[in-house]
Amino acid sequence: MDWLFYLFLTAIFYVYRLVSLKSRTEQERIGSTPVFFSTLGFFAIFEFVFADSLFRLPLFHVLGLIFSFAYAFTIYIYLRNLKKEVEVIFEKLVKQSQGKVSVLTFMQRTNMTKDEAMDYLDGKLRQLPGITYETLGNIYYEFDHW
């Protein structure tokens, strides 16, 4: 009975963490912090459900820690696979901003350096008609046909 309750709680927590972290992947780079907190969360659930066996079966709680790391690792792999490719990010930014793409925004979304982002956008400027301009220190690329 304890196992069913544990599996139910972890499944709910797992889905909640995936949904909340999935929305963040498009906005920012995913590091080790969400995985760390997921591990702590899963382990806390395990310890809460099986607290009565803490002193009788200490090795049993090591199993909970292993499960927690396994769950967190799958979250980490899942989130890394959600990262969009550069071309998809570029198309999304162009559509959202009606043809204007800021170098800074593009750098943040793709995790590129300034030089890499500008090289990529310059290449797109050669493929698609448009202009580049600077406003208040930020460089913009404006594409005519988006």
Side-chain angles (χ1 to χ4, degrees):
M1 185 65 178
D2 283 342
W3 281 102
L4 291 175
F5 185 63
Y6 168 70
L7 290 176
F8 178 71
L9 283 177
T10 52
I12 288 173
F13 189 76
Y14 185 72
V15 169
Y16 169 75
R17 290 298 289 170
L18 281 180
V19 169
S20 65
L21 292 174
K22 180 180 177 183
S23 64
R24 287 179 49 195
T25 56
E26 295 179 6
Q27 300 289 327
E28 60 189 77
R29 186 178 191 153
I30 295 297
S32 58
T33 304
V35 176
F36 174 72
F37 284 118
S38 296
T39 304
L40 287 180
F42 292 130
F43 190 61
I45 290 171
F46 188 88
E47 291 299 312
F48 173 75
V49 172
F50 298 108
D52 61 334
S53 66
L54 184 59
F55 296 108
R56 288 186 294 121
L57 302 166
L59 289 179
F60 185 67
H61 294 272
V62 172
L63 177 66
L65 188 60
I66 291 170
F67 280 145
S68 299
F69 278 118
Y71 279 131
F73 185 70
T74 60
I75 286 176
Y76 179 73
I77 296 299
Y78 177 73
L79 292 175
R80 288 197 53 130
N81 290 336
L82 279 179
K83 290 215 178 249
K84 306 288 184 195
E85 292 191 21
V86 176
E87 187 68 29
V88 175
I89 293 172
F90 171 76
E91 290 174 7
K92 186 176 179 180
L93 284 174
V94 167
K95 287 178 184 175
Q96 285 177 347
S97 60
Q98 300 175 344
K100 295 180 185 176
V101 178
S102 159
V103 173
L104 182 61
T105 304
F106 190 71
M107 286 170 47
Q108 290 172 341
R109 298 284 172 94
T110 60
N111 297 320
M112 290 181 164
T113 64
K114 182 179 178 182
D115 293 333
E116 292 172 337
M118 289 184 69
D119 287 343
Y120 181 84
L121 292 172
D122 285 336
K124 283 296 185 183
L125 199 57
R126 286 188 290 274
Q127 293 174 358
L128 304 169
I131 60 169
T132 180
Y133 60 92
E134 186 173 340
T135 304
L136 299 173
N138 198 359
I139 302 169
Y140 291 92
Y141 287 77
E142 188 171 343
F143 299 95
D144 297 333
H145 302 288
W146 47 274

